[in-house]
Amino acid sequence: MSDTFDTARRMGEIRSFHVMELLARAKALEALGRSVIHMEVGEPDFATPAPVIDAGHLALEQGHTRYLPATGLPQLKREIAGFYQARYGLKFDSNRVIVTPGSSGALQLVMGVLVNPGDTVLMADPGYPCNRNFVVLMGGIPISMAVGPDTGYQLSAERIAEAWSADTRAVMVASPSNPTGTLLDRDQLQAIYEVVKERGGRLIVDEIYQGLVYGDEGYTALDIADDLFVINSFSKYFGMTGWRIGWMVVPQSYVGAIDRLAQNIFISSSSIAQYAALAAFSPATIAILEQRRTEFRKRRDYLLPALRELGFKVAVEPEGAFYLYTDCSALTTDSFTFCMELLEQQGVAATPGRDFGDNRPEQHIRFAYTTEIDKLREGIARLERFLR
Ligand SMILES: Cc1ncc(COP(=O)(O)O)c(C=O)c1O
């Protein structure tokens, strides 16, 4: 029997996360003794902050190794709500906070409670590759909308209004965005929220790169309304990718349904990670994270002009996350082959556009500045040799 019959039909729609394959090849080259400069990885190179690790050790010593409530450890939910109050002056009931296994867990839950088979969800292309697959998993249809420099690689209220159909159920945006690092400003997001609300849809805002913004401190979508879904994570700003812990803040009316689904899909998120995360908002941890933010900004300020100098175009200055989404059309017509050859010949790993959608992927490459500045310099030197 062929594979097609062995897996559900939806598997035909679920695409690989190519960067994971590229990462595997990079690791294989390293195992052979080759040096690789990693500019493909979407995770900070910094270790989890020491206060969080200490809290994790303590959790183990104290035996916090059992299931917790499906929506999260109540103290952690209060800490998260307190973080919004401290940073944005926002007050809301901590029962609206749902702790999840990474924001990936939050995305599954939110699609699970919103999407009926056949419903469509609008999202930007380029965008985070897994989002469309979460929609497919629920029987929905992801509608990828090509965006470009004119809208800062973000959806706009006008484009959403044009694309809306009777089947549209939700709109997903991310600020800062992966792969472009661009933000939605408050007025743009407000306008998007209004268009979606007028049409009876739901707005999902991915803020997982919140905190990794290099200009203004920014805002949270929760400032605009409390009947939208805000996704967040301990992975990026907090440097906890491998702990697999994230959260979302949901409209009060959805708490019960999400609790029910979380009980069934996950039972609970990792108890050790949740106890460890209690230390994530302490002043000592935040001081460490803010230093890292300064370091990320320095890296961006080095890498952006260096790549431009080599002929990569970056039309909109990225203000957040740790990515530069470059137009490489002056250098190649096939970004995938370019990245594979760059890895094999010079040991530089970068992510080809095809991971982020179908909007001219062959003309784009994402560089992540998740490695220290000396290595970025070495990466640029190797790129220069490769281009010669
Ligand atoms: C935009 C965006 N959303 C969600 C995720 C999922 O991250 P995690 O499950 O580690 O919170 C990522 C990871 O790269 C991302 O870039």
Side-chain angles (χ1 to χ4, degrees):
M1 208 185 268
S2 84
D3 278 356
T4 337
F5 293 107
D6 284 337
T7 57
R9 272 193 300 280
R10 75 172 69 84
M11 284 312 294
E13 295 280 304
I14 306 270
R15 303 183 191 176
S16 288
F17 196 0
H18 297 287
V19 70
M20 300 311 283
E21 290 166 13
L22 197 103
L23 182 62
R25 180 64 191 144
K27 297 263 185 224
L29 288 175
E30 281 174 321
L32 293 172
R34 291 272 308 275
S35 130
V36 175
I37 305 288
H38 290 277
M39 294 202 255
E40 82 284 31
V41 198
E43 67 181 339
D45 51 330
F46 299 110
T48 298
V52 176
I53 294 193
D54 292 345
H57 280 298
L58 192 67
L60 283 169
E61 279 160 26
Q62 295 182 338
H64 293 304
T65 55
R66 294 171 182 272
Y67 290 141
L68 289 171
T71 63
L73 179 69
Q75 299 98 291
L76 181 59
K77 290 159 62 120
R78 286 197 292 275
E79 282 287 329
I80 293 169
F83 169 70
Y84 285 95
Q85 183 164 9
R87 201 162 265 207
Y88 303 106
L90 262 182
K91 246 182 135 166
F92 53 82
D93 191 327
S94 65
N95 86 334
R96 287 179 52 208
V97 176
I98 314 287
V99 180
T100 54
S103 64
S104 306
L107 289 163
Q108 286 169 66
L109 290 173
V110 80
M111 295 308 173
V113 297
L114 287 181
V115 174
N116 290 301
D119 283 352
T120 65
V121 178
L122 309 182
M123 57 186 73
D125 180 348
Y128 178 57
C130 307
N131 286 338
R132 48 178 303 114
N133 296 330
F134 292 127
V135 176
V136 169
L137 203 56
M138 303 305 160
I141 303 164
I143 306 283
S144 297
M145 297 170 59
V147 291
D150 55 321
T151 57
Y153 293 98
Q154 294 280 359
L155 295 182
S156 66
E158 296 73 32
R159 295 282 312 282
I160 291 169
E162 279 164 28
W164 201 274
S165 79
D167 296 324
T168 307
R169 175 72 173 130
V171 174
M172 257 213 90
V173 294
S175 178
S177 133
N178 176 7
T180 63
T182 53
L183 311 182
L184 265 169
D185 75 31
R186 206 181 181 294
D187 292 345
Q188 286 172 302
L189 188 64
Q190 174 91 43
I192 289 176
Y193 166 75
E194 275 158 21
V195 163
V196 175
K197 190 175 165 89
E198 271 163 26
R199 287 159 181 74
R202 288 289 173 182
L203 180 59
I204 306 160
V205 185
D206 182 330
E207 295 189 344
I208 98 156
Y209 293 95
Q210 185 183 59
L212 293 170
V213 173
Y214 307 117
D216 248 4
E217 167 60 26
Y219 66 99
T220 167
L222 292 167
D223 231 355
I224 290 177
D226 53 16
D227 59 351
L228 41 73
F229 294 80
V230 168
I231 311 285
N232 213 320
S233 180
F234 287 99
S235 287
K236 311 285 176 166
Y237 173 65
F238 295 94
M240 294 178 68
T241 42
W243 297 75
R244 306 312 301 130
I245 178 168
W247 77 85
M248 61 180 162
V249 184
V250 305
Q252 185 64 55
S253 55
Y254 281 86
V255 170
I258 287 177
D259 189 1
R260 217 167 347 120
L261 192 57
Q263 290 161 7
N264 282 279
I265 306 188
F266 306 123
I267 302 187
S268 95
S269 301
S270 156
S271 58
I272 302 152
Q274 294 193 63
Y275 277 94
L278 285 174
F281 302 106
S282 70
T285 306
I286 297 290
I288 295 169
L289 299 177
E290 287 301 300
Q291 270 173 7
R292 293 176 178 184
R293 178 187 358 201
T294 308
E295 181 57 32
F296 278 125
R297 183 194 299 132
K298 281 192 200 143
R299 295 173 180 183
R300 180 202 61 178
D301 292 347
Y302 163 69
L303 193 60
L304 179 57
L307 286 170
R308 279 178 168 157
E309 186 78 11
L310 291 179
F312 294 92
K313 286 187 227 112
V314 182
V316 185
E317 195 121 330
E319 293 165 87
F322 31 57
Y323 306 116
L324 296 174
Y325 193 63
T326 65
D327 178 337
C328 57
S329 52
L331 306 168
T332 178
T333 50
D334 176 359
S335 62
F336 182 74
T337 307
F338 184 97
C339 286
M340 292 318 281
E341 288 178 359
L342 178 64
L343 178 61
E344 298 294 335
Q345 292 174 26
Q346 291 292 338
V348 174
T351 311
R354 66 155 76 160
D355 245 340
F356 308 105
D358 300 321
N359 178 12
R360 298 185 299 124
E362 63 293 338
Q363 292 179 21
H364 291 90
I365 296 175
R366 186 193 75 177
F367 292 90
Y369 41 97
T370 45
T371 191
E372 60 207 44
I373 220 155
D374 284 349
K375 290 203 178 133
L376 294 178
R377 281 187 213 288
E378 172 62 19
I380 288 292
R382 292 185 190 187
L383 252 169
E384 206 170 351
R385 281 201 291 276
F386 178 75
L387 290 170
R388 259 197 259 123

